[in-house]
Amino acid sequence: MTAQQTGSSAPTGGDSLVALENVDKWFGELHVLQDINLRIRRGEVVVVIGPSGSGKSTLCRTINRLETIDKGAISLDGQPLPAEGKALAQLRAEVGMVFQSFNLFAHKTILENVTLGPIKVRGIAKAEAETRARELLDRVGVGHQAEKYPAQLSGGQQQRVAIARALAMEPKVMLFDEPTSALDPEMIKEVLDVMVDLAKRGMTMVVVTHEMGFARTAADRVVFMADGAIVEENTPEEFFGNPRSDRARDFLSKILTH
Ligand SMILES: Nc1ncnc2c1ncn2[C@@H]1O[C@H](COP(=O)(O)OP(=O)(O)OP(=O)(O)O)[C@@H](O)[C@H]1O
Ligand SMILES: [Mg+2]
């Protein structure tokens, strides 16, 4: 730990687990991320919300370097994100990502989906990886499905496997990009329950979602984005109850009326 090293220059990002500092990104003419400053503390749960096209997915993707940035700096646990090679593979292992579509390997069993990363990337022995995978699958409620293939599971079950797969890498932070938006309504709760449990266990999480119930229950902070910028950030109570900007008020009035 470096906390006692007073007087020395702070590592990038200071005390934050994830730190974005003055981040800008363009897609051609489109200024998709505009001077983003965001620090995420260890154990913090941040919900990112905002209109379609505001840059939420792009923001997530820069944190595990699926997208590069044009200006500014991003650090994970005090280290700048590596650009390439082995260090980048290591970073990807430390940043778990769950997308809207489940992205499981169709030709591998549920158990194989969860053990693949730990065996290949972490170098963990197969038996140990399987024991750990079964624990994680039990935890997300699909332990009895371990020998099946993804297509034999419901969308909600597949998404819970995707969460278990990410957790199997023992990530420092988990990014969720609209993890429930492709699911039938009756399956949304079972996935959100797993996420709430993860939050309670102290996982650091960045969650793009419009699920207000989740935000109110689990988020420490809501970050509202519009047109590539962070317009407002606050506790869920304040943000939903008393939005300050016209953009946020307008957005909330739209999502609350349907
Ligand atoms: N690879 C790309 N090349 C060019 N433009 C892109 C690319 N990816 C995203 N964009 C554009 O960047 C903007 C932000 O996209 P992004 O996917 O981050 O938005 P979002 O907030 O996640 O939206 P949604 O709520 O619809 O998922 C959009 O205008 C999108 O069309
Ligand atoms: Mg998106």
Side-chain angles (χ1 to χ4, degrees), residues 27-28 30 32-33 50-59 61 67 100 177-178 208 210 225:
F27 283 125
L30 179 68
V32 64
L33 294 179
S52 180
S54 55
K56 306 178 299 292
S57 295
T58 306
L59 177 75
R61 291 165 58 83
E67 297 283 358
Q100 181 175 344
D177 190 359
E178 304 208 33
V208 179
H210 294 166
M225 287 185 76

Side-chain angles (χ1 to χ4, degrees), residues 207-226:
V207 184
V208 179
T209 184
H210 294 166
E211 293 289 338
M212 310 281 198
F214 175 81
R216 286 181 191 274
T217 315
D220 297 300
R221 189 159 39 129
V222 174
V223 167
F224 175 71
M225 287 185 76

Side-chain angles (χ1 to χ4, degrees), residues 35-207:
D35 195 26
I36 300 289
N37 287 284
L38 182 61
R39 286 166 178 273
I40 298 158
R41 295 185 306 277
R42 223 171 281 277
E44 193 180 17
V45 177
V46 173
V47 160
V48 181
I49 191 169
S52 180
S54 55
K56 306 178 299 292
S57 295
T58 306
L59 177 75
C60 277
R61 291 165 58 83
T62 62
I63 297 174
N64 68 353
R65 224 174 178 289
L66 287 171
E67 297 283 358
T68 56
I69 58 175
D70 298 308
K71 270 194 195 166
I74 304 180
S75 62
L76 177 69
D77 216 357
Q79 302 297 320
L81 296 194
E84 56 194 13
K86 239 184 154 167
L88 181 57
Q90 183 68 24
L91 169 86
R92 296 258 165 81
E94 289 180 345
V95 181
M97 181 126 189
V98 176
F99 300 91
Q100 181 175 344
S101 55
F102 326 122
N103 294 310
L104 298 176
F105 298 112
H107 58 289
K108 295 199 183 294
T109 66
I110 297 309
L111 188 67
E112 287 166 347
N113 265 278
V114 181
T115 56
L116 191 70
I119 293 170
K120 293 256 188 253
V121 180
R122 293 276 196 221
I124 291 172
K126 188 170 177 230
E128 190 188 332
E130 287 185 351
T131 304
R132 176 83 181 123
R134 287 186 194 279
E135 281 167 16
L136 285 168
L137 289 170
D138 278 343
R139 192 168 125 193
V140 302
V142 289
H144 53 298
Q145 316 273 18
E147 324 304 334
K148 290 189 180 168
Y149 287 85
Q152 297 172 287
L153 271 58
S154 73
Q157 289 168 335
Q158 289 187 54
Q159 193 61 307
R160 285 180 283 150
V161 173
I163 294 171
R165 183 176 61 173
L167 292 175
M169 298 298 275
E170 302 190 332
K172 288 179 176 167
V173 54
M174 287 280 288
L175 310 177
F176 293 87
D177 190 359
E178 304 208 33
T180 58
S181 56
L183 298 177
D184 292 338
E186 69 269 22
M187 292 171 194
I188 291 176
K189 186 177 179 299
E190 61 195 29
V191 172
L192 292 177
D193 285 348
V194 167
M195 293 168 62
V196 169
D197 176 62
L198 200 53
K200 283 190 184 142
R201 289 165 179 259
M203 177 60 78
T204 309
M205 296 163 67
V206 178
V207 184

